[in-house]
Amino acid sequence: MTGKTLALALALSLSLFATHALAQSARVSMTSTATQVAVGQAFQLQIRADVSGANLDEIRPPNLSAFEIRGQSMRRPMQISFGGTGQPMMVESTTTQAYTLVPHSPGTFELESAIVVVGGQEFRSEPLTITVTGQGQSAAPNGQPVPQLQQAQQNGFRAPTGQTVAAEAMQVDPQAFVRTTVDVDNPYLGQQVTVSVYLYTRDILRATPRVLREPSTDGFWVQDLLPPQRTMRPRTRQMENGVYREYLIKRFAAFPVREGELTLGGAEFEITVGGGLGLFTSPQQIRRAGTDLQLRSRPLPEHTGPVEPVVGEFALEGTLDRAQVRTGDALTLTMTVRGEGNVQDIRLPKPRVEGLQILDPTMDDSVEVVQERVRGQRRFEWIIVPQRPGTFELPVFRLPVVNPSTGAIRTVDGPSLTLTAAGNAIATDPAEEPAEELPERDDGDDLVPDFPPPEPESALLRGSAPVSSSWWFWALLALGPILYFGHSIQRSAKRRNAGKPKTVKGGKRLQRAKQLASQGDSSAFYGEVASALKGAASDALGEPAQGLTHSALQQALSKAGIASGAAKALVEVLEACDFARFSSGAASADEQGKLLARAEEIVRALEQSA
């Protein structure tokens, strides 16, 4: 190769290198959603790198040790290439790395430049100053924010018009956060508390949120208020730091079943946001958890009487299936309590009337939701048997009802009922007559009995036919072998069936749940599984389990001798069913099949333990 050729090749290489070096560039910016924040107030720091001519190697954030990093995300959109015939190809991309930060001490913090490395070269952003003031959100002793409405307002949140909010809990985040609200923060024992769980996002929601942890409701009896199938439509809410999209995730009624401090645990969700029509944005998955909300349940107002007061609005109705009967015939007394409130708290005393035998009542409940208020009815039925003729006036049932707004108690009276019995009184067992007394024997009487004179011949006579000629003789003779062989067959059948699984009382309901799963009715499926498990628990306890909380049910099963593993597994599946019913997303067929198989194992374990 000549020197001229070498010089030409060297010049061409230097030209290509220079073109590549000139084409390779990056622009780095570091911004914050707020440059002045309060202690405990979350804000977002973003580092953006616009790169052309090469691929991004690394993003180095400044020293963030003065802040708590609550979240971190990176958007990696597709790269776009430019170029044509005879022209070098140019690659351009934009990458954004975001940090959610929370300061814990006041002061002025100088953030050094963020560094972006492209093709071995470093590019720097401008430094940034963050000022943290000492007036922040107040905190409870455990470090959690105090869940009160005024705390949310300090964070710049204003409750939407039309929402009744007595207390709420949330941690406002620049990107997304969970808000839990209640319409009553100091309820009476048994009063309905409407709990709403909202999700707020700055970006559009791209998929149904996945529930990672449902709200904990220990100490409450709950009833879902939202339909099982619904469409989540966002509302736009204006806040001081921008516009958010509000999604209603859950709404349920919670009735306190014990007095004192109660906690509604925060829910946790995984959401997919972003990914709009822009070329440099892509969807990202983030997690957000709600904050626990503290309530205090008040005891019911003092009341003297045989019946405990209940909270709500109720009416009392009563009927006799017939007003005239014969003495000794049975009739049915029915009392129905219906209205707004938790009917499972209602108790009526057993009436006592002289001359009437009254058996223990049977109870039947039904619950419905009307305009997000829980209503229902509880029906009591007593069997009454008159023991003597006459006219009997049944005592009037009285139910004390508490007005939650004023705390006043009013008495709801049932109807006055009278029945007439005709006929003779039911006879009682006659008293035993005293035994006839034997005459007293004098001490001088001869104790030797007198025998009759002996007979010279036997008077014993025999029938004309022997016993063996009778049909019943042979029947009795064959009875023994027949009983023996029958017992042997029964024992053999028991041994064959010993290894077979027992028939589960909840089997029919679980079969119904399988049908609902195949039909795609998720809410009804989980309701059937929960109902079957509670029915099996009721059989094991010997008493209804529907009114017990999950923790109380687990304790009751353990006290009844049920294996602790079975009791714990039952509560876990019940919680999973409640979780799935509250969730807006439909579970997969595989998840439903696994839950159904586990429910069948639990029912078998309950029967074996019992």
Side-chain angles (χ1 to χ4, degrees):
M1 181 179 294
T2 63
K4 185 177 180 180
T5 303
L6 289 174
L8 182 61
L10 180 60
L12 180 60
S13 300
L14 291 175
S15 176
L16 291 175
F17 177 79
T19 302
H20 176 72
L22 291 174
Q24 177 178 299
S25 64
R27 184 172 67 255
V28 185
S29 63
M30 181 171 60
T31 59
S32 173
T33 55
T35 57
Q36 181 172 342
V37 295
V39 173
Q41 179 182 348
F43 68 97
Q44 192 174 70
L45 179 72
Q46 292 185 351
I47 301 174
R48 173 169 173 164
D50 298 309
V51 179
S52 61
N55 294 324
L56 174 66
D57 297 332
E58 182 184 4
I59 295 181
R60 299 174 187 171
N63 184 5
L64 303 177
S65 59
F67 306 92
E68 176 187 354
I69 301 177
R70 289 281 182 87
Q72 181 177 348
S73 63
M74 176 177 289
R75 297 182 182 180
R76 298 180 180 274
M78 61 181 179
Q79 297 179 340
I80 301 179
S81 301
F82 300 93
T85 305
Q87 296 181 356
M89 184 172 60
M90 182 76 67
V91 179
E92 293 186 357
S93 65
T94 298
T95 303
T96 302
Q97 184 160 317
Y99 299 87
T100 301
L101 306 177
V102 177
H104 291 295
S105 59
T108 301
F109 301 91
E110 300 286 345
L111 299 182
E112 299 177 353
S113 301
I115 300 176
V116 172
V117 181
V118 178
Q121 290 185 320
E122 293 184 354
F123 299 87
R124 298 175 179 270
S125 70
E126 294 293 331
L128 186 65
T129 301
I130 302 295
T131 302
V132 180
T133 63
Q135 296 180 353
Q137 176 173 308
S138 62
N142 58 0
Q144 294 293 329
V146 177
Q148 295 179 349
L149 179 61
Q150 56 267 29
Q151 294 299 328
Q153 293 174 343
Q154 288 178 5
N155 284 335
F157 185 85
R158 295 176 180 175
T161 304
Q163 291 187 7
T164 302
V165 178
E168 61 185 358
M170 60 183 166
Q171 278 284 57
V172 178
D173 183 275
Q175 188 176 15
F177 63 93
V178 178
R179 172 176 173 244
T180 305
T181 70
V182 293
D183 61 343
V184 181
D185 60 349
N186 191 21
Y188 283 107
L189 185 67
Q191 179 183 353
Q192 175 175 336
V193 178
T194 301
V195 184
S196 302
V197 180
Y198 298 93
L199 176 65
Y200 292 82
T201 63
R202 296 293 291 272
D203 297 326
I204 189 170
L205 202 61
R206 290 300 178 184
T208 301
R210 186 165 70 94
V211 181
L212 303 178
R213 184 180 68 244
E214 63 175 329
S216 62
T217 56
D218 190 28
F220 296 90
W221 178 81
V222 299
Q223 174 68 39
D224 192 9
L225 299 179
L226 297 178
Q229 302 295 334
R230 65 185 182 92
T231 302
M232 289 193 305
R233 301 186 183 278
R235 295 183 178 181
T236 302
R237 300 301 184 191
Q238 178 68 45
M239 296 178 59
E240 291 184 1
N241 61 340
V243 178
Y244 283 79
R245 293 175 174 87
E246 177 193 80
Y247 297 89
L248 176 60
I249 306 298
K250 299 177 183 295
R251 177 166 289 163
F252 57 92
F255 295 85
V257 297
R258 67 168 184 260
E259 302 173 9
E261 296 289 341
L262 299 175
T263 301
L264 290 169
E268 183 176 4
F269 305 96
E270 182 180 79
I271 60 177
T272 303
V273 296
L277 299 177
L279 295 177
F280 301 105
T281 59
S282 61
Q284 60 172 325
Q285 288 185 342
I286 60 176
R287 294 186 177 187
R288 290 296 183 268
T291 305
D292 293 350
L293 183 57
Q294 304 291 333
L295 303 179
R296 175 179 289 276
S297 175
R298 291 180 288 172
L300 294 173
E302 294 185 0
H303 175 75
T304 58
V307 180
E308 288 292 329
V310 292
V311 181
E313 186 69 27
F314 295 100
L316 189 57
E317 303 171 358
T319 59
L320 287 169
D321 62 344
R322 44 187 174 154
Q324 296 181 350
V325 295
R326 293 177 59 86
T327 303
D329 289 351
L331 69 152
T332 302
L333 167 64
T334 302
M335 298 300 299
T336 303
V337 184
R338 58 169 51 94
E340 181 180 305
N342 184 9
V343 296
Q344 297 187 7
D345 289 340
I346 298 174
R347 300 289 187 272
L348 291 180
K350 178 180 177 180
R352 300 184 183 278
V353 180
E354 184 179 356
L356 298 180
Q357 180 185 5
I358 303 178
L359 305 182
D360 290 336
T362 60
M363 293 184 294
D364 179 65
D365 297 337
S366 63
V367 178
E368 62 178 350
V369 176
V370 179
Q371 296 181 351
E372 298 188 348
R373 303 298 298 178
V374 176
R375 301 180 59 87
Q377 72 173 24
R378 167 163 282 193
R379 185 173 63 234
F380 300 81
E381 290 185 352
W382 290 270
I383 301 297
I384 300 178
V385 180
Q387 302 296 299
R388 58 177 175 82
T391 300
F392 303 91
E393 292 187 2
L394 299 179
V396 176
F397 288 90
R398 290 181 169 85
L399 179 66
V401 179
V402 179
N403 184 336
S405 301
T406 62
I409 298 179
R410 71 180 183 91
T411 301
V412 178
D413 293 341
S416 177
L417 301 175
T418 303
L419 68 91
T420 302
N424 297 326
I426 298 178
T428 58
D429 294 337
E432 296 184 357
E433 298 181 357
E436 182 180 355
E437 297 182 359
L438 297 176
E440 297 182 359
R441 179 183 294 271
D442 296 336
D443 293 340
D445 291 346
D446 188 2
L447 298 180
V448 180
D450 296 331
F451 292 100
E455 296 288 341
E457 294 181 0
S458 173
L460 181 63
L461 298 177
R462 179 180 297 275
S464 58
V467 176
S468 59
S469 63
S470 302
W471 66 270
W472 51 265
F473 171 79
W474 296 104
L476 291 176
L477 191 63
L479 183 60
I482 292 175
L483 293 177
Y484 174 78
F485 284 113
H487 181 65
S488 300
I489 293 173
Q490 184 181 10
R491 292 181 59 187
S492 176
K494 287 184 177 180
R495 286 195 297 268
R496 287 196 302 270
N497 295 330
K500 296 181 180 180
K502 297 181 180 180
T503 301
V504 181
K505 187 173 182 180
K508 291 185 178 180
R509 283 189 177 274
L510 292 178
Q511 289 296 332
R512 173 63 177 161
K514 291 181 181 179
Q515 297 176 1
L516 293 172
S518 63
Q519 298 171 2
D521 195 343
S522 300
S523 178
F525 164 77
Y526 289 108
E528 285 292 336
V529 173
S531 179
L533 290 179
K534 290 182 179 179
S538 299
D539 294 339
L541 294 174
E543 59 178 325
Q546 280 74 9
L548 298 177
T549 62
H550 290 171
S551 59
L553 176 59
Q554 183 174 352
Q555 294 176 1
L557 288 172
S558 300
K559 292 181 180 179
I562 304 301
S564 59
K568 181 179 180 182
L570 183 140
V571 170
E572 290 176 352
V573 174
L574 288 178
E575 291 177 348
C577 289
D578 292 342
F579 155 81
R581 289 174 59 202
F582 291 149
S583 176
S584 57
S588 65
D590 182 58
E591 292 176 347
Q592 293 180 358
K594 291 180 180 179
L595 185 137
L596 185 61
R598 191 178 184 193
E600 292 174 341
E601 294 177 357
I602 292 172
V603 173
R604 286 195 294 269
L606 287 178
E607 286 202 344
Q608 293 173 0
S609 299

